Amino acid sequence: MPELPEVELVAQALREFIVGRSWTCATILRPRLLPDSTPERFAERCRGVSVVDVRRRGKYIIIELDNGFALLVHLRMSGRLLILPPDRPLPKFTHAIFEMDDGRRFIFSDQRHFGMMKLVAADQLAQEFQKLAPEPFSEDFSAEYLRTTLARSQRTLKETLLDQSKVVGLGNIYAAEAMFLARINPFIKAARVSPRRVSRLHCAILEVLAESIAYGSTLNVDPTNIDGSYYGGAYEGRWRVYGREGERCFVCGALIKRAAQAGRSTYFCPRCQKR
DNA sequence: ACCCTCACCTGCACGC
DNA sequence: TGCGTGCAGGTGAGGG
């Protein structure tokens, strides 16, 4: 589910609950949550460890530990990180439980079972993220970077924007929103987008991501909300094209279209995004 | 090195 | 009400 803004908000919200806390016990209920470890080995490595910091890289959440490791979490489509008071029952689809020294539990739940957790040595982190494109809000993600990256791609613009080795943080929603803001057709070959349009797209990507984070942050994101509704709820009503098939474009009034692309839905305005 | 399809799961909204 | 179908905000493995 979550794209960069949601992951960023989750990381920010988690910070106040888990930084400085230590884990007295870790339990993994679904072994396949760990692609490269066993529940026993994982639990052993987590026991008695303290959380130093919570960060984000792309759509990964990085929980830095004081034993030289970091816990990497990817929420994929339906993963949730929650903080439970001692007496609260476990939500459905709980796959990992970290008992904390304040009596609360830090939980990973995931309806669709796509999520992933792994422990990575601090000095291996860079290697772990080697294939990821630069962070959108870093200087490395420049209009020039985007221009050369798109120029080298054989695929359509939308497909290229979803490739985390080319651009990090966009998913199906924000890719559509960014292309709409930049007034570019999702089906055009990435290499054929003109330099002027790439500059527009570069601004649009930063704008939709920042805007969504800003709206989400006014929401008072709260991982103790078990219903998980803390993801980007306030921004949802602000989507310009995503999920609006058949509704009118806010700019020109044309009807928003949905079309399949690489097995997924792409929403766009046929008039504003002609080419 | 690239590109495409499929697989990983559950739940929900829809039409019959 | 029940059943089948298609869809859901992501990505990696494995094929060509």
Side-chain angles (χ1 to χ4, degrees):
Chain A
M1 274 180 30
E3 303 180 26
L4 184 147
E6 291 77 24
V7 177
E8 174 65 30
L9 293 171
V10 170
Q12 284 177 18
L14 275 184
R15 216 166 274 149
E16 73 175 282
F17 292 99
I18 68 171
V19 169
R21 299 265 66 83
S22 71
W23 293 337
T24 55
C25 177
T27 310
I28 302 299
L29 302 176
R30 184 175 64 90
R32 292 182 61 188
L33 172 63
L34 314 171
D36 63 356
S37 185
T38 64
E40 296 74 27
R41 246 189 322 149
F42 181 89
E44 180 54 37
R45 202 151 254 175
C46 288
R47 189 167 334 169
V49 163
S50 291
V51 174
V52 173
D53 195 11
V54 183
R55 296 184 287 129
R56 176 194 61 73
R57 172 76 173 95
K59 299 176 191 171
Y60 288 85
I61 292 167
I62 305 168
I63 301 174
E64 253 180 72
L65 306 171
D66 71 348
N67 65 346
F69 283 82
L71 175 61
L72 248 50
V73 183
H74 200 300
L75 304 172
R76 294 285 179 93
M77 298 285 262
S78 56
R80 303 237 188 287
L81 292 170
L82 303 167
I83 306 295
L84 299 192
D87 50 347
R88 202 65 101 37
L90 293 174
K92 211 175 170 187
F93 307 117
T94 296
H95 299 314
I97 307 162
F98 300 85
E99 312 275 354
M100 300 196 289
D101 60 352
D102 64 356
R104 292 196 267 202
R105 287 175 294 179
F106 173 45
I107 298 292
F108 180 84
S109 83
D110 185 4
Q111 179 203 105
R112 290 176 75 178
H113 296 203
F114 293 171
M116 181 284 303
M117 271 188 177
K118 89 206 271 193
L119 285 167
V120 177
D123 57 5
Q124 298 293 308
L125 269 183
Q127 162 127 358
E128 189 70 26
F129 296 130
Q130 200 177 14
K131 282 155 81 181
L132 287 189
E135 274 300 301
F137 296 115
S138 75
E139 284 183 15
D140 292 341
F141 183 74
S142 59
E144 181 57 31
Y145 166 83
L146 190 58
R147 200 171 301 136
T148 49
T149 300
L150 295 184
R152 278 198 281 260
S153 174
Q154 305 302 117
R155 287 181 289 173
T156 65
L157 178 59
K158 160 89 176 307
E159 292 170 294
T160 309
L161 292 181
L162 289 184
D163 182 340
Q164 302 295 299
S165 72
K166 308 283 194 291
V167 179
V168 116
L170 295 181
N172 214 27
I173 295 177
Y174 297 107
E177 296 295 302
M179 289 183 291
F180 172 76
L181 264 196
R183 305 188 302 280
I184 308 174
N185 188 285
F187 299 90
I188 193 175
K189 291 283 186 188
R192 301 198 49 193
V193 181
S194 71
R196 246 192 78 193
R197 281 156 183 266
V198 175
S199 298
R200 244 161 46 201
L201 182 60
H202 177 254
C203 291
I205 289 170
L206 296 179
E207 188 176 337
V208 293
L209 294 178
E211 184 184 49
S212 173
I213 292 172
Y215 274 91
S217 62
T218 67
L219 236 198
N220 192 21
V221 171
D222 181 2
T224 62
N225 272 350
I226 310 269
D227 65 4
S229 60
Y230 59 84
Y231 289 131
Y235 192 69
E236 204 169 297
R238 305 189 59 85
W239 294 333
R240 293 164 173 94
V241 285
Y242 185 83
R244 298 192 63 239
E245 181 183 19
E247 296 175 41
R248 298 216 171 267
C249 170
F250 295 132
V251 172
C252 77
L255 298 183
I256 301 298
K257 281 199 167 174
R258 177 170 73 103
Q261 191 172 15
R264 319 189 60 191
S265 292
T266 294
Y267 296 87
F268 64 105
C269 171
R271 197 181 297 166
C272 294
Q273 297 171 266
K274 276 214 176 87
R275 59 197 184 87

